[in-house]
Amino acid sequence: MITKLKVGVLISGRGSNLQALIDATAAPDFPAEIVLVISNKADAYGLTRAQNAGIKTAVINHKDFTTREDFDRAMDQKLKQENVQLVCLAGFMRLLSPWFAEEWRDRLINIHPSLLPKHKGLNTHEAAIAAGDTEHGATVHFVRPALDDGPIILQASVPIMPGDTPDTLAARVLEQEHIIYPRAVRLYAEGRVNVIEEKVFIVN
Ligand code: GRF
């Protein structure tokens, strides 16, 4: 039996990246396990995916809190109750407070659908097409207080084809997201991801 890293996943919606993580962690030799999924939305389909996989879920509605930090502290408490060691944002559509980003510094990662530092924020596929980019992609990175900022762990790029719409491009990128997110979690769980002066070094 290997000791597995305990992962908590934060979602807001359909949870296809969560599913990719669930599928990867199902392999007996995968060095991490998902112990908790938190959604800020009660109707997030990702909750059903987690329940189908027998993973504990919690709904914490941000509207029940007066400040962003109060909401984040409620999530923090749940994560710590389950002894979570790594938090993965997977389509979690809330900005995190600087407090949370610091509390989980270097133990909190996100997947963003662009080749960061290009196209931070929302509507990245539209933005990449509008900018006339010839390639686009996805990034797994550590979270810092600034939006879509932080040391980059892995990226995958895809070509932008003539005639691409935001939807066709999003589908091409999403396929890559589902590959690199589990890969990044594996590297992290194997203790091979080091942050030195805000740059990631992967140990072979
Ligand atoms: C993904 O494109 C992810 O990169 C972004 O939000 C989307 C979430 O999709 N952060 P899903 O909920 O994982 O299907």
Side-chain angles (χ1 to χ4, degrees), residues 19-28 30 32 182:
Q19 188 67 56
L21 293 173
I22 290 173
D23 294 347
T25 51
F30 196 87

Side-chain angles (χ1 to χ4, degrees), residues 36 56 75-84:
L36 177 66
K56 193 180 272 192
M75 290 195 299
D76 173 73
Q77 201 182 14
K78 274 263 175 234
L79 292 163
K80 287 179 180 159
Q81 257 168 27
E82 299 302 327
N83 299 310
V84 164

Side-chain angles (χ1 to χ4, degrees), residues 14-17 90-91 111-113 174 177:
R14 73 185 161 178
S16 73
N17 278 289
I111 185 145
H112 180 76
L174 195 62
E177 293 184 34

Side-chain angles (χ1 to χ4, degrees), residues 129 133-134 159-165 168 172:
I129 292 171
D133 293 354
T134 54
I160 300 182
M161 315 278 207
D164 259 338
T165 64
T168 59
R172 196 173 306 128

Side-chain angles (χ1 to χ4, degrees), residues 89-102:
L89 307 181
F92 181 67
M93 300 305 284
R94 301 288 305 164
L95 285 175
L96 292 166
S97 59
W99 175 81
F100 191 90
E102 282 310 319

